[in-house]
Amino acid sequence: MELGLIGLGKMGGNMAERLRLAGHKVVGFDFSAEAVQRLNDAGSVGVHTLEDLVKNLQAPRAIWIMVPAGDPVDQTIAKLKPLMQKGDIFIDGGNSNYKDSQRRHDALVPEGFGYVDVGTSGGIWGITEGYSMMIGGDEAVVETLRPIFEALAPTADTGWGRVGPSGAGHFVKMVHNGIEYGLMQSYAEGFSIMHAKEPLGLDLTQIANIWRYGSVVRSWLLDLTADALKKNPSLDGLEPYVPDSGEGRWTVFEAIDLNVSAPVITESLIRRVRSREDDNFSDRMLSVMRHEFGGHAVKKS
């Protein structure tokens, strides 16, 4: 099956290569000439304009969009629509808000287009491990794309599936990333406690590798943690700055709207926000209050 792919960054480029190795024709577009050249060098078709992308695909076309959430997705669709025809399918494989996905679906389907939202997990490792794909959209359209999903997934029948109607794919991926925030925070806190217990001289790399086998806390995330600690046991040269791409925030907002208690995910998000504060005013306020009511020492810079 042929597929157009917009966005040839690390993840998009790896997806293109996995599809090519599975025998699918991939036509890719990116604003980076270097990324386009890499795709051509790998044996797929790289182009420099959206017009050429569409021309190189047989109708009905399927075009997978891997661009930042929000307006970039809308702009990409708006530029593609005049070039495409009824029966063509738009696939949003980025981290869009599920409400945007529902809006786009409801606008495109009456015009004769298909629209599928695919929450995609796997990062840079997807090329070898396969991608986990949570798919939302009309059943018939999703079924049309089955060969693409089977090629990208870990195996043809694992790691992917239609989880519901339009928006469901990105909703499930949003919650997936919220859970990821909590898992990462738990690992970070646990290793921090062991790091602070200096009299025991604990080897965090050794412990991470012990936990990888047989432990109830074993996971792929722990595998990656062990690898990171092996490369840099003391985390030298790293700033305690942790960004978030939006899904954790959306998960917390949804939890509040649905009256669902989600303290772990919420606190892990707040910790990420706090990591970006160069001059933490709230912590200084706590110090001042302790000094005022109890005469506790205040550490001055």
Side-chain angles (χ1 to χ4, degrees):
M1 185 175 183
E2 298 183 352
L3 181 74
L5 182 60
I6 297 174
L8 301 174
K10 289 182 178 179
M11 191 167 179
N14 285 348
M15 290 173 66
E17 181 62 7
R18 188 173 176 90
L19 287 167
R20 185 190 70 81
L21 292 173
H24 296 277
K25 176 184 176 181
V26 178
V27 182
F29 164 81
D30 196 281
F31 288 110
S32 166
E34 182 180 348
V36 171
Q37 188 58 50
R38 282 198 302 269
L39 190 67
N40 281 313
D41 292 343
S44 291
V45 180
V47 297
H48 298 280
T49 67
L50 293 179
E51 289 81 3
D52 285 340
L53 178 80
V54 174
K55 288 177 182 177
N56 276 277
L57 294 169
Q58 290 186 347
R61 306 171 185 86
I63 297 183
W64 189 303
I65 301 169
M66 290 290 285
V67 301
D71 191 55
V73 178
D74 288 323
Q75 288 189 26
T76 301
I77 292 174
K79 291 176 181 177
L80 282 170
K81 275 175 55 179
L83 308 174
M84 298 171 69
Q85 63 186 45
K86 290 184 178 182
D88 290 347
I89 302 170
F90 293 91
I91 308 165
D92 182 1
N95 285 322
S96 290
N97 188 293
Y98 79 97
K99 294 178 182 178
D100 286 337
S101 297
Q102 292 175 327
R103 169 179 57 81
R104 291 168 187 140
H105 171 273
D106 292 347
L108 288 167
V109 169
E111 298 181 37
F113 298 109
Y115 179 87
V116 174
D117 53 288
V118 183
T120 311
S121 181
I124 61 174
W125 295 94
I127 187 171
T128 55
E129 302 293 327
Y131 295 91
S132 172
M133 291 169 290
M134 299 136 266
I135 305 162
D138 301 333
E139 285 190 62
V141 178
V142 173
E143 190 61 30
T144 299
L145 300 169
R146 173 178 286 273
I148 295 296
F149 298 136
E150 290 181 341
L152 288 173
T155 69
D157 57 359
T158 64
W160 74 278
R162 177 183 179 270
V163 296
S166 174
H170 280 148
F171 184 87
V172 174
K173 178 56 162 52
M174 174 193 74
V175 177
H176 165 284
N177 282 25
I179 293 171
E180 182 182 288
Y181 280 33
L183 288 172
M184 292 174 70
Q185 184 66 29
S186 294
Y187 279 128
E189 291 177 8
F191 280 98
S192 293
I193 293 169
M194 292 187 289
H195 176 70
K197 195 64 174 178
E198 294 180 0
L200 295 183
L202 300 174
D203 183 337
L204 301 188
T205 306
Q206 178 201 28
I207 293 166
N209 278 299
I210 290 172
W211 286 355
R212 290 176 61 198
Y213 305 97
S215 166
V216 295
V217 299
R218 66 187 182 271
S219 69
W220 183 47
L221 182 57
L222 182 60
D223 294 342
L224 298 176
T225 301
D227 187 52
L229 286 169
K230 182 179 180 182
K231 296 174 183 175
N232 188 357
S234 59
L235 307 184
D236 291 335
L238 299 178
E239 291 291 331
Y241 182 99
V242 187
D244 72 279
S245 54
E247 297 89 340
R249 296 178 183 230
W250 300 338
T251 305
V252 171
F253 298 157
E254 286 293 326
I256 293 170
D257 288 343
L258 295 168
N259 288 319
V260 174
S261 176
V264 173
I265 294 174
T266 302
E267 179 58 22
S268 66
L269 171 64
I270 298 303
R271 290 297 302 177
R272 290 194 179 201
V273 174
R274 183 170 172 174
S275 76
R276 302 164 213 162
E277 297 181 13
D278 293 331
D279 187 9
N280 192 292
F281 188 81
S282 61
D283 281 356
R284 288 191 288 140
M285 282 296 302
L286 288 172
S287 180
V288 167
M289 285 186 278
R290 292 183 75 250
H291 175 71
E292 289 299 319
F293 70 69
H296 303 289
V298 177
K299 185 177 181 180
K300 298 181 178 179
S301 58

